Structure formats: structure tokens, C-alpha cells
Amino acid sequence: MIDIDIEMLRTVSSIRKKIFRVNVLTPLLMHGWLESYGNNKTRPLKSEIRTTSIKGVLRYWWRSLCYDCSWQELLKEEQIFFGGSSGSEEGNRSPAALSIENSDRGLSDFSICPHKGQRFPTKGINPQSNFNLVLSVQIKDNEKYDFYNNLIIFTLHLAGFGQRSRRGAGSLQWHHHQWQNGVEFVYSLKTIIEELRKEMYFKFYSRSNGLILDRVKGKGNHPVLAGIWLGQCFGTQEDARKKISEAGHVANSNDKKQLLGMSNPRKASPLHGSIRKFGENYVPVISEVISDKERENESYIIARNKFLEHLGVIV
């Protein structure tokens, strides 16, 4: 007769978890329910950390690393990792789940465009707030755990979250990331890209300022990661956010082409201006996610370089 330890069975989990303790560097403008007011406009009643929004950001940055593939291949792989159905009756469910724990967030009103002062306020989660982002993967899908873990770490190097994330808002930093300068950041970024097995597409530069990653191969029919730059250092996170917001205004075309994003019609900017902390300084991290066709536009290149130069990048 085989002895079975019932207490041990009760305590053994069928789920593998990892907790990312995250610090909010710049106002996190992430919202749920919206209220309506005059002229069919809406505004958020409060700000909240939404796992659905975070999953969307992870999916976006995963796509940015997918080169040399058709949209059919991209969709198939995306459904395997993130779930989906393509309109069929049988859909895939993602092996990974995200949740939020131990949040100490405080809520305030913040300007969407800080370079314009206090105009256009919205609800946001205060800088210096903290929360746990919890990754859960069932043991039966353990072979995919490393992929999700590495993707989250990669995303926390570059991404912003929530509204105005391309212009400095919603910058988060994992507590494990204690970079002192740009060289340490580049080494960390290169290491995680190697873990994702995408290093063959890039050339890396160990610099504290300027171009640190350049794509050297691979076709991008959809928006893909093409370059990363580090800007100048700032003493406060709000100074860095204001400068990024200002850079978008300075660099966008005056002839209504709005090559770095527009609101009507809606078009997202290819440039993601996020912020990370190096030692006691706050540094803009500018990532270019763009298709090959769009990157060939000379007018876009001019606007992009204006954006970078305004943030102290030597182009």
C-alpha cells in the first residue's frame, strides 16, 4: 500500500508564479469606466491598474520583435501565446494569466500634455506608487513560462502604459532594475533580447547617450522594433516627461501631416518616449516601432530626428 501525504498534496500548487514589484515613475493614466458629459465627450471617473491593458502592451511589444513573417503566421503565433479565435467557434486561451496585488497607489489629477501646463487634466496614479504584477502559468504549460517571464522583463525595459504612454506617461520600473547608467541598461537590454532569441536582428552600442540599438536585418511588413535611443539625463521624472511631451509638439509637421501621431483621424506615433531611472537621474528611452514602408518616408525621418535632438540625442 502506498502512503499518500494528504497535507503535501494540499500545498502543492498546479501554478507557477512570479511577482514583479513595480514602481510607477511617471503618472499612470490608465482608466476603466468613463462618464459622459456635454457634446458626446467622455472622461474617466478614476484611474485603475487594468491587467487587460497590460496584456495589450505585452502583445504589442511581442509583435514588435516578429520579423520576416506574414500576417497569417503572425496571427497564428499570437493566438498560441495570447489567446484568440480569428472568428472561429473554437478559440485558444492564453496559458498565462496576470493579476495585480499589494497596490499602494494614490490618485490625483495630471495634465495629459505637461508642456501645456495644467490644461487637459485627467485622473492618474501617482508617481512613486508601487504594485505587484503577478505572472501565473499552469505547470502543464511550464515550457512557456520562460517566454512570458522574458517578455515581461523586455517590455519593462522599453514600454509605457496607459494614456499618453508614448509621450512619457505610465513609465514603470521593476525593482530588480537598478541601472546606474546607460551602459548598464544596454547590457541588460541585450541580455533579455538574447533570452528571447532575437539578438540576430540587432546591433548594440554601449553608450550612455544616443543610439543604443539598430536593426540590421529582418523584414517588417507590420510595425517592428527598428531602433532605440537614450536621451539626456533629467533631475526629476516630471522634467523628463515634460521634455518628451514638448518634443512631440516641436517635431510634428506644421502642414497637418502629423507624422509622429495624430488624434483626428487617430494614428499612433512610431516613436515611444518612455522614462527609466539610472542612479538618481531620469532618462528618456526612445524606441522606434515602424514598418519598413513607413520608415522610408524622408519627411518622417526629418520629424523623427527633430524629436530625438530635442531630447538631447546626437543624431
Side-chain angles (χ1 to χ4, degrees):
M1 183 175 178
I2 300 175
D3 292 330
I4 299 177
D5 189 335
I6 300 299
E7 189 61 33
M8 182 188 72
L9 291 177
R10 287 175 179 168
T11 58
V12 172
S13 174
S14 63
I15 296 176
R16 186 177 179 185
K17 289 187 176 183
K18 180 169 180 177
I19 298 174
F20 295 85
R21 187 62 174 169
V22 176
N23 178 243
V24 178
L25 293 184
T26 60
L28 178 56
L29 312 179
M30 190 177 286
H31 310 116
W33 181 262
L34 301 177
E35 69 169 353
S36 300
Y37 66 106
N39 298 324
N40 295 319
K41 296 180 180 180
T42 60
R43 60 189 173 194
L45 291 173
K46 64 177 183 177
S47 186
E48 58 183 319
I49 303 170
R50 297 172 57 83
T51 55
T52 51
S53 297
I54 295 174
K55 288 177 183 176
V57 175
L58 292 175
R59 188 186 295 238
Y60 174 89
W61 285 96
W62 171 79
R63 285 195 211 110
S64 80
L65 291 176
C66 294
Y67 303 91
D68 301 321
C69 62
S70 66
W71 69 264
Q72 295 95 334
E73 293 170 324
L74 184 68
L75 181 59
K76 182 179 179 180
E77 287 291 306
E78 186 170 334
Q79 289 174 350
I80 291 172
F81 290 119
F82 301 100
S85 64
S86 295
S88 63
E89 293 183 3
E90 295 185 4
N92 296 321
R93 183 176 181 179
S94 174
L98 298 178
S99 58
I100 303 297
E101 295 179 350
N102 297 336
S103 173
D104 63 359
R105 61 187 183 274
L107 306 179
S108 301
D109 287 330
F110 296 96
S111 174
I112 292 178
C113 301
H115 71 284
K116 295 184 178 181
Q118 296 303 312
R119 296 171 62 190
F120 314 117
T122 190
K123 300 292 183 183
I125 295 170
N126 292 339
Q128 305 311 316
S129 299
N130 295 273
F131 65 90
N132 289 345
L133 175 63
V134 183
L135 167 67
S136 301
V137 178
Q138 292 190 356
I139 295 298
K140 68 181 182 67
D141 297 311
N142 190 55
E143 73 280 1
K144 295 187 177 72
Y145 173 86
D146 286 342
F147 163 78
Y148 295 110
N149 175 63
N150 292 333
L151 179 62
I152 291 173
I153 295 172
F154 169 72
T155 303
L156 288 173
H157 277 76
L158 304 178
F161 297 78
Q163 189 177 8
R164 293 290 288 180
S165 61
R166 282 174 165 84
R167 294 297 176 260
S171 296
L172 308 179
Q173 188 143 336
W174 182 25
H175 281 207
H176 182 75
H177 285 155
Q178 299 291 328
W179 307 298
Q180 295 302 307
N181 51 53
V183 174
E184 290 185 6
F185 177 83
V186 174
Y187 178 80
S188 176
L189 177 65
K190 183 175 184 292
T191 299
I192 197 59
I193 289 178
E194 288 172 347
E195 291 292 332
L196 288 165
R197 300 179 182 177
K198 299 292 183 178
E199 72 278 5
M200 71 287 297
Y201 294 105
F202 305 110
K203 184 174 182 180
F204 297 86
Y205 302 89
S206 296
R207 297 172 179 166
S208 294
N209 182 269
L211 179 69
I212 63 168
L213 175 147
D214 189 26
R215 192 190 79 186
V216 293
K217 63 180 291 187
K219 294 182 179 179
N221 297 320
H222 64 282
V224 293
L225 181 62
I228 302 175
W229 297 261
L230 297 181
Q232 69 187 84
C233 295
F234 292 88
T236 70
Q237 52 82 17
E238 190 59 19
D239 286 343
R241 184 170 83 100
K242 182 178 179 181
K243 196 71 172 180
I244 293 174
S245 181
E246 187 178 81
H249 176 75
V250 169
N252 239 339
S253 172
N254 292 321
D255 59 7
K256 299 185 179 181
K257 288 183 180 179
Q258 300 290 289
L259 296 166
L260 301 186
M262 66 177 72
S263 58
N264 188 23
R266 186 73 176 171
K267 183 179 179 182
S269 173
L271 298 180
H272 294 255
S274 193
I275 295 165
R276 294 298 180 270
K277 190 175 183 182
F278 297 174
E280 297 302 316
N281 296 312
Y282 296 87
V283 177
V285 179
I286 306 101
S287 305
E288 182 183 45
V289 181
I290 192 169
S291 68
D292 290 344
K293 183 177 180 180
E294 291 178 306
R295 206 186 193 206
E296 294 171 356
N297 186 329
E298 292 185 8
S299 296
Y300 162 73
I301 296 297
I302 293 172
R304 182 197 69 185
N305 290 347
K306 285 183 180 179
F307 184 92
L308 294 171
E309 288 171 349
H310 197 77
L311 293 171
V313 177
I314 300 175
V315 179

